[in-house]
Every structure is written in C-alpha cells, then in structure tokens.
C-alpha cells in the first residue's frame, strides 16, 4: 500500500459555516482531520497541519516554507505522493510556485473547496478524497504539480480560478484539464511537453503586477518604479500592446535594469510582437520587454520572483519565459 502525506494549509476546505449567520470562518481543529483515512482505504495516509490560513494571507514566504516541507517529507518519510489542501483564492499561485520549485517525479496534488466543511453540498471531503486517489496513482507521476478539483485534474501551470463561487471554478482555459476522475478510474489524456524547476534558497524579490487599461499614463508606472521593485509584470492589451502614454516610464525602468514581463489581460492566447505602432508589441520587444508565453499575470509574477533569485540579466531571463 502506498503512503500519502496530506499537508494542510487552511482555506475554505478547513473552515466551517455558522448556520445562523451564514458566515464562514477558520476553526481551530481541522474539520476534515482523519476523514481521508476513514473514506479511503487504498492508501496509508498521514497528515501534517502546516498552516491554518485563508489563502489571501498566504505569502511567498509561506509558499517557500511549504515547498521545503514537501521536499523534506519526500526525502525523509518514504512517501509516495503528496496532497496539499489550500484556500482557492491563491491556490494557483502556490501550486505554480511548487511546480517551479520542487524536483520530484512523485505526484504532488493541490486541492481545496468552494464550500466549507459543514455547508450543504460541500465539495471539501470529495475533493480531498479525489486528490488522494490521484496522488495514489502511478500515472500521476512525472506530470508536475497537479490541481484536483471537481472531478478534474489540471496542471499547476495552466489552471486558474474562473468563478468566485461555483464549484466548477478551476479551469485551464487554453488547454482544458489533463485528466478526469470517475467513480472507478483516474484517466489522464494529456501531458505537458516540458517541465522546469529552479533550485532556489530564497523567495524575496519584490515583483509588482499591473493590468493595462485604456488611457494608462506614465505617472502610475513611475509610482511603482519609485516604490523600489525588482521586476514588473504587466497584463497587456490583446496580443501584447500598451497605451503609448506609459512608454517613457517603461523605458526608465528598462534603463534601470528592472525586467518587465508582458502577458495578456485576455484569458486565452499568447502575447507576440505583432504591431509596429507606438505602444505596439514590436516596439515593446525592441525596448527589451520580455514576452511570457501563455502565463497569467499572477503566475508570471511567481515565475519572475523565482528566476530573479538566480539572475537579473535580461539576456538570461528572456529565454526562461519563451
Ligand atoms: N477565501 C477562501 C480562501 O482562499 C476561498 C477558498 O478557500 O475557497 O481561503
């Protein structure tokens, strides 16, 4: 029988609803503690209660601590797979950080819940059991960090929370899930073609994320620059274009050797240097902005934080985002 470790970090999956007011809050004792063992007899399960945080309170420091905990558990505990429970608000950022940080072939599966443990139709226990089933599967090896929610298996790289409250919130808009979970089977039908990992010791870089909008001007970008950042991610317009009003401020950042990563505020498609007008992608690329292929803004930020621990040279950073 395989050994699976569940590492709890908090989130709605660890919370309870007050039946009279409808308010949802953290509880001192995890409401699903031991339930994975009770409902799944196919794996030997151990649990570790690392944090009890709503995920808006998760910081990069927590992500690194979690990454180290998984590394240590896999190294010392003879575990075959890992399940992480996490709040759904920042789940995709933590999952992608783990994907970039960990160097393991073993399944690492992140899950959460949209409805707290005692709400009608709660998805917490169901998702937890599904995640354990996936982590207990040979086919889940060598697939990077996975996110399991609502009978679907997604890659940490492509998944995003799409609805504020629907239990079918986690989707991979461009590529779809890489597998599905049925009552009897775990079925994979896709695999990423490349994996990357970066052995970093710290996660301290200050990277800002902004969304472009019509009429955006340089003073806003200068305020961010003056705040003292190590890097900037911009969710650009369409294929990777920006209002011409911010070009002078972007040039000042580039002159200061601050890397700027460009993604799109569209939720599908990739950015590319197509247009030659002022603020068009061609000009931005020629200035030295780095086009990130297919990442969302929050994930490009996590990746820039990670790779800035290794280098801040534009020529070295650029190929890492292709
Ligand atoms: N606000 C909650 C959190 O991320 C949402 C959830 O877990 O579903 O902690």
């Amino acid at each position: 029988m395989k050994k699976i470790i569940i590492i709890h970090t908090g989130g709605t999956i660890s919370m309870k609803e007050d039946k009279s007011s409808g308010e949802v809050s953290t509880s001192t004792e995890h409401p699903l503690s031991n339930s994975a063992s009770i409902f799944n007899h196919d794996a030997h399960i151990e649990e570790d209660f690392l944090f009890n945080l709503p995920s808006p309170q998760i910081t990069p420091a927590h992500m690194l601590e979690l990454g180290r905990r998984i590394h240590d558990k896999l190294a010392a505990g003879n575990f075959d797979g890992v399940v992480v429970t996490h709040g759904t608000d920042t789940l995709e950022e933590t999952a992608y950080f783990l994907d970039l940080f960990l160097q393991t072939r073993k399944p690492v599966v992140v899950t959460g819940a949209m409805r707290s443990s005692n709400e009608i139709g709660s998805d917490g226990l169901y998702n937890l059991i599904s995640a354990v089933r996936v982590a207990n599967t040979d086919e889940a090896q060598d697939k990077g960090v996975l996110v399991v929610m609502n009978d679907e298996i997604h890659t940490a790289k492509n998944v995003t929370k799409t609805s504020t409250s629907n239990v079918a919130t986690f989707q991979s808009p461009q590529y779809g899930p890489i597998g599905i979970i049925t009552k009897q089977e775990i079925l994979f039908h896709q695999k990423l073609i490349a994996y990357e990992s970066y052995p970093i010791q710290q996660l301290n870089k200050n990277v800002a994320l902004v969304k472009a909008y019509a009429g955006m001007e340089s003073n806003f970008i200068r305020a961010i620059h003056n705040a003292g950042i190590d890097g900037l991610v911009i969710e650009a317009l369409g294929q990777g274009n920006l209002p011409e009003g911010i070009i002078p401020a972007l040039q000042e950042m580039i002159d200061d050797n601050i890397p700027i990563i460009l993604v799109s505020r569209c939720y599908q498609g990739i950015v590319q240097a197509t247009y030659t007008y002022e603020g068009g992608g061609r000009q931005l690329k020629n200035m030295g902005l780095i086009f990130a292929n297919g990442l969302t803004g929050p994930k490009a930020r996590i990746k820039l934080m990670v790779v800035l621990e290794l280098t801040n040279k534009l020529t070295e950073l650029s190929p890492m985002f292709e």
Side-chain angles (χ1 to χ4, degrees):
M1 196 184 270
K2 291 190 183 182
K3 265 177 85 181
I4 307 292
I5 175 94
I6 302 175
I7 303 178
H8 297 285
T9 70
T12 296
I13 193 166
S14 70
M15 297 184 191
K16 278 186 177 164
E17 180 188 46
D18 179 314
K19 290 293 174 196
S20 53
S21 68
E23 289 165 357
V24 174
S25 46
T26 42
S27 48
T28 41
E29 190 151 329
H30 199 298
L32 298 185
S33 175
N34 283 324
S35 24
S37 313
I38 295 166
F39 289 95
N40 187 312
H41 304 289
D42 296 331
H44 174 77
I45 295 168
E46 286 184 26
E47 288 181 87
D48 180 13
F49 299 87
L50 180 60
F51 312 125
N52 187 14
L53 292 172
S55 75
Q57 294 176 13
I58 293 279
T59 64
H62 293 118
M63 294 180 197
L64 186 60
E65 191 177 339
L66 173 61
R68 287 195 178 125
R69 181 66 69 98
I70 293 172
H71 175 271
D72 294 348
K73 289 283 179 191
L74 287 176
N78 205 18
F79 292 104
D80 301 290
V82 180
V83 170
V84 174
T85 67
H86 197 288
T88 59
D89 289 351
T90 60
L91 186 150
E92 63 205 78
E93 283 156 270
T94 296
Y96 187 52
F97 167 74
L98 296 175
D99 194 50
L100 294 173
F101 175 75
L102 293 170
Q103 294 172 295
T104 179
R105 298 184 55 217
K106 293 181 178 174
V108 177
V109 181
V110 187
T111 193
M114 295 301 288
R115 296 180 187 142
S116 62
S117 55
N118 61 338
E119 278 178 66
I120 293 169
S122 173
D123 50 340
L125 180 58
Y126 187 85
N127 285 337
L128 181 62
I129 301 297
S130 298
V132 170
R133 286 178 60 206
V134 172
N136 198 28
T137 307
D138 288 343
E139 289 72 34
Q141 289 180 10
D142 279 326
K143 292 204 170 49
V145 171
L146 300 170
V147 172
V148 164
M149 296 279 292
N150 197 40
D151 280 339
E152 293 183 344
I153 309 167
H154 296 264
T155 61
K157 185 173 183 183
N158 292 325
V159 77
T160 190
K161 183 174 181 177
T162 63
S163 163
T164 55
S165 55
N166 195 310
V167 292
T169 183
F170 280 90
Q171 294 179 25
S172 300
Q174 184 99 319
Y175 305 105
I178 67 162
I180 57 166
I181 300 158
T182 72
K183 225 173 169 56
Q184 282 148 21
E185 283 181 284
I186 310 290
L187 296 165
F188 285 95
H189 53 261
Q190 275 186 53
K191 190 177 184 313
L192 288 178
I193 55 173
Y195 296 93
E196 51 192 336
S197 69
Y198 303 95
I200 54 164
Q201 305 298 326
Q202 298 182 356
L203 191 61
N204 292 333
K205 299 299 181 195
N206 190 6
V207 176
L209 166 63
V210 297
K211 191 189 279 270
Y213 50 84
M216 196 177 197
E217 288 183 2
S218 273
N219 53 2
F220 180 56
I221 299 292
R222 284 197 184 107
I224 295 168
H225 189 172
N226 292 337
I229 53 167
D230 301 301
L232 176 68
V233 175
I234 306 180
E235 290 185 8
L237 309 169
Q239 282 185 39
N241 310 303
L242 289 171
E244 59 181 329
I246 65 169
I247 300 299
L250 296 181
Q251 188 60 57
E252 290 158 23
M253 260 193 202
I254 297 278
D255 293 344
D256 239 1
N257 215 17
I258 297 172
I260 305 173
I261 308 294
L262 212 69
V263 298
S264 179
R265 71 178 200 180
C266 300
Y267 76 98
Q268 287 191 14
I270 59 168
V271 283
Q272 45 195 355
T274 301
Y275 293 98
T276 55
Y277 53 76
E278 188 72 10
R282 274 294 157 102
Q283 182 193 22
L284 302 175
K285 190 140 206 171
N286 291 340
M287 283 170 64
L289 276 75
I290 297 169
F291 285 50
N293 198 344
L295 293 175
T296 63
K299 289 191 195 176
R301 176 178 170 269
I302 293 290
K303 182 163 178 179
L304 184 56
M305 289 182 72
V306 167
V307 296
L308 276 173
E309 295 294 342
L310 305 173
T311 179
N312 68 350
K313 291 201 181 91
L314 290 186
T315 47
E316 290 173 6
L317 288 171
S318 189
M320 294 178 183
F321 284 90
E322 279 167 6

